[in-house]
């Protein structure tokens, strides 16, 4: 079997299997103190023994009938409850009440202006825009953080904060609580948008994450370990850091600002008080020696995904797999094309070098990801490729993630 190269990019997070999100840390309950006084054991009476024998026989008969029932093939057509339960379990967001999409709302991005703020000023500017999120599942409970996006109740958070939940509620800085509905969620991108029925909320100001530089001061505000609206300070440690999370490659902002359980979905904020990222993960070690490795989804990426979710559009895919390292002459080499995809039907093949999509040059993996995230399913894409020293163009209709599996 041919071994895949280690630097393979299989379409980015949106073309990867849904990641597994761990449950919140368990609460350790101290062991119960042993009983000092123990009841004396009595010899069972004969009648009691007969009763227990009959009970065990009846119980065994009932269990045997159940086993036979569930081992035999089930009939009943498309209304089989076992089938419907399976289909629901495949969607981690299928049990949440949905909000309207296609409202035309988008994430506003502002350019930084004026003098830099102190950490205290940044906190005061944003504290009323950071919310706590609590979710209740069938047999689980989850919590995290969110950022108010609009004054009428759109809220951005991580997808894993609300995954597998039946009900979600939002707690605001004034301790008021409102139920939330799900506008949309993308597990591969780890972005979700919620909606509460409210007016007069204080939205955060969202900044341009593309303007960040390594060494810039940033703060994180969230609910680490349930301590609401906590602020931590650090710097931008790295940009466009590719991190593998459960087999999914994500391009993230690395920061030294401490991020802990509960910070998920919170805000990474620049020195002008603008939210430039949504905190998502941290790297930890078993021995606790790793520190200062927190990560946030860049706001430029968040906007693309959130705008798509609010519009109710499916995620787009080109149907190709490329190598992560650009070619010396430019472009990305195509490693594989999904069989029977529109790209394949149009003529794109492995070992082609992808030069541009819709006239936008593909000079890096990050640029390709941005291009794909902005595509609309059903529209036409034109790709320019290099094959055996000759430039060729192919056009085809963009397909959805679901259509390409």
């Amino acid at each position: 079997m041919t071994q895949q190269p280690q630097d393979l990019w299989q379409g980015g997070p949106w073309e990867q299997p849904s990641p597994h999100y761990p449950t919140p840390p368990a609460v350790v309950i101290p062991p119960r103190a042993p009983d000092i006084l123990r009841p004396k054991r009595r010899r069972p009476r004969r009648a009691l023994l007969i009763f227990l024998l009959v009970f065990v026989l009846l119980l065994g008969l009932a269990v045997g009938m159940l086993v036979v029932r569930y081992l035999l093939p089930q009939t009943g057509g498309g209304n089989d409850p076992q089938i419907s339960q399976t289909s629901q379990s495949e969607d981690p967001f299928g049990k949440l009440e949905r909000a309207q999409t296609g409202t035309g709302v988008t994430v506003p991005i502002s350019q930084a202006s004026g003098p830099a703020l102190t950490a205290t000023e940044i906190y005061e500017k944003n504290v009323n825009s950071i919310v706590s999120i609590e979710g209740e599942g069938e047999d689980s409970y989850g919590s995290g953080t969110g950022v108010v996006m609009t004054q009428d109740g759109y809220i951005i958070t991580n997808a894993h904060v609300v995954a597998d939940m039946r009900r979600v509620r939002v707690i605001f800085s004034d301790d008021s609580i409102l139920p939330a509905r799900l506008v949309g969620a993308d597990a591969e991108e780890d972005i979700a948008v919620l909606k509460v029925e409210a007016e007069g909320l204080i939205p955060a100001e969202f900044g341009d994450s593309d303007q960040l530089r390594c060494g810039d001061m940033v703060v994180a505000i969230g609910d680490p370990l349930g301590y609401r609206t906590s602020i931590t300070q650090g710097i931008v440690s790295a940009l466009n850091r590719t991190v593998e999370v459960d087999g999914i490659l994500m391009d993230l902002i690395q920061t030294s600002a401490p991020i802990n359980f509960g910070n998920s979905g919170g805000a990474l904020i620049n020195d002008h008080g603008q939210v430039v990222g949504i905190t998502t993960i941290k790297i930890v070690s078993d021995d606790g020696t790793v520190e200062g490795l927190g990560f946030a989804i860049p706001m430029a990426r968040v906007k693309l995904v959130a705008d798509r979710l609010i519009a109710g559009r499916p995620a787009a895919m080109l149907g190709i797999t490329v190598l992560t390292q650009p070619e010396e002459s430019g472009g990305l080499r195509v490693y594989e094309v999904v069989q029977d995809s529109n790209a394949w039907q149009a003529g794109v093949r492995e070992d082609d070098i992808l030069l541009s999509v819709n006239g936008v040059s593909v000079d890096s993996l990050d640029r390709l990801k941005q291009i794909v995230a902005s595509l609309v399913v059903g529209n036409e894409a034109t790709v320019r490729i290099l094959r055996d020293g000759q430039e060729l163009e192919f056009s085809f209709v963009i397909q959805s993630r679901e259509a390409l599996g």
Side-chain angles (χ1 to χ4, degrees):
M1 180 179 293
T2 303
Q3 186 175 4
Q4 287 194 159
Q6 295 297 319
D7 60 347
L8 181 63
W9 176 71
Q10 300 182 2
W14 52 87
E15 298 195 20
Q16 301 293 336
S18 298
H20 168 72
Y21 297 109
T23 56
V27 177
V28 179
I29 302 176
R32 179 181 176 183
D35 294 332
I36 298 177
L37 300 177
R38 306 178 185 274
K40 295 181 179 179
R41 300 178 62 183
R42 299 181 179 180
R43 298 178 61 184
R45 298 178 181 177
R46 183 179 183 85
L48 180 59
L49 286 175
I50 296 175
F51 171 79
L52 290 176
L53 180 61
V54 173
F55 175 78
V56 170
L57 289 175
L58 291 175
L59 180 62
L61 180 62
V63 171
M65 293 176 64
L66 286 175
V67 170
V68 170
R69 175 184 175 185
Y70 283 102
L71 286 179
L72 290 176
Q74 301 293 316
T75 60
N79 293 324
D80 189 344
Q82 296 298 318
I83 296 177
S84 63
Q85 289 177 7
T86 301
S87 62
Q88 286 182 358
S89 64
E90 291 176 353
D91 181 4
F93 314 104
K95 296 179 181 179
L96 285 172
E97 183 181 356
R98 295 294 178 127
Q100 181 183 0
T101 58
T103 58
V105 175
T106 59
V107 180
I109 300 292
S110 304
Q111 296 300 316
S113 62
L117 305 179
T118 65
T120 300
E121 292 170 332
I122 294 172
Y123 183 82
E124 292 173 347
K125 178 179 178 178
N126 285 275
V127 65
N128 293 320
S129 304
I130 309 300
V131 298
S132 303
I133 296 177
E134 295 181 349
E136 180 184 347
E138 188 169 347
D139 54 1
S140 62
Y141 168 84
S143 63
T145 311
V147 181
V148 176
M149 176 184 146
T150 65
Q151 62 86 28
D152 62 346
Y154 283 90
I155 294 168
I156 299 174
T157 186
N158 283 149
H160 75 260
V161 171
V162 297
D164 300 318
M165 295 296 142
R166 289 177 173 267
R167 287 174 291 275
V168 173
R169 66 178 192 169
V170 177
I171 305 173
F172 296 88
S173 58
D174 61 358
D175 292 330
S176 60
I177 302 174
L178 289 175
R181 292 177 295 164
L182 180 68
V183 177
D186 191 321
E188 285 82 355
E189 300 282 0
D190 202 16
I191 294 294
V193 179
L194 305 176
K195 180 68 169 66
V196 298
E197 297 304 319
E199 292 290 341
L201 301 180
I202 302 175
E205 180 184 357
F206 298 97
D208 186 358
S209 57
D210 290 338
Q211 300 301 313
L212 287 174
R213 298 179 302 171
C214 291
D216 283 352
M217 188 273 283
V218 289
V219 305
I221 301 180
D223 294 359
L225 302 178
Y227 293 98
R228 292 177 54 195
T229 56
S230 298
I231 181 172
T232 55
Q233 186 174 2
I235 62 170
V236 174
S237 303
L239 296 168
N240 302 319
R241 182 72 83 194
T242 301
V243 180
E244 183 176 348
V245 184
D246 293 326
I248 297 174
L249 296 179
M250 303 182 72
D251 284 342
L252 304 173
I253 302 168
Q254 181 184 332
T255 178
S256 63
I259 294 173
N260 292 288
F261 296 107
N263 268 114
S264 294
L268 186 71
I269 308 171
N270 66 13
D271 59 2
H272 285 76
Q274 299 173 312
V275 178
V276 290
I278 299 298
T279 54
T280 179
I281 62 171
K282 68 175 295 186
I283 293 179
V284 297
S285 63
D286 293 337
D287 58 6
T289 56
V290 175
E291 294 291 344
L293 284 176
F295 296 88
I297 306 169
M299 203 61 223
R301 185 79 188 169
V302 174
K303 174 178 171 56
L304 288 172
V305 177
D307 287 354
R308 171 173 58 81
L309 294 174
I310 296 171
R313 300 195 310 267
M317 285 177 61
L318 288 177
I320 65 174
T321 300
V322 300
L323 299 179
T324 59
Q325 295 299 320
E327 297 292 303
E328 292 184 2
S329 57
L332 297 172
R333 184 173 295 275
V334 176
Y335 178 77
E336 186 179 16
V337 184
V338 176
Q339 292 287 334
D340 299 326
S341 66
N342 290 344
W344 173 272
Q345 297 292 344
V348 181
R349 295 292 183 266
E350 67 178 63
D351 283 330
D352 288 345
I353 297 176
L354 182 63
L355 300 176
S356 69
V357 179
N358 289 343
V360 181
S361 297
V362 178
D363 53 10
S364 68
L365 178 59
D366 184 59
R367 176 59 62 85
L368 177 59
K369 290 180 179 181
Q370 292 177 3
I371 295 171
V372 174
S374 65
L375 297 177
V376 177
V377 174
N379 287 358
E380 189 175 76
T382 299
V383 299
R384 184 165 55 93
I385 62 101
L386 182 65
R387 179 186 299 168
D388 298 328
Q390 182 181 4
E391 290 191 11
L392 303 172
E393 279 194 358
F394 300 101
S395 297
F396 52 90
V397 175
I398 302 165
Q399 295 171 277
S400 67
R401 180 193 299 160
E402 291 76 14
L404 292 176

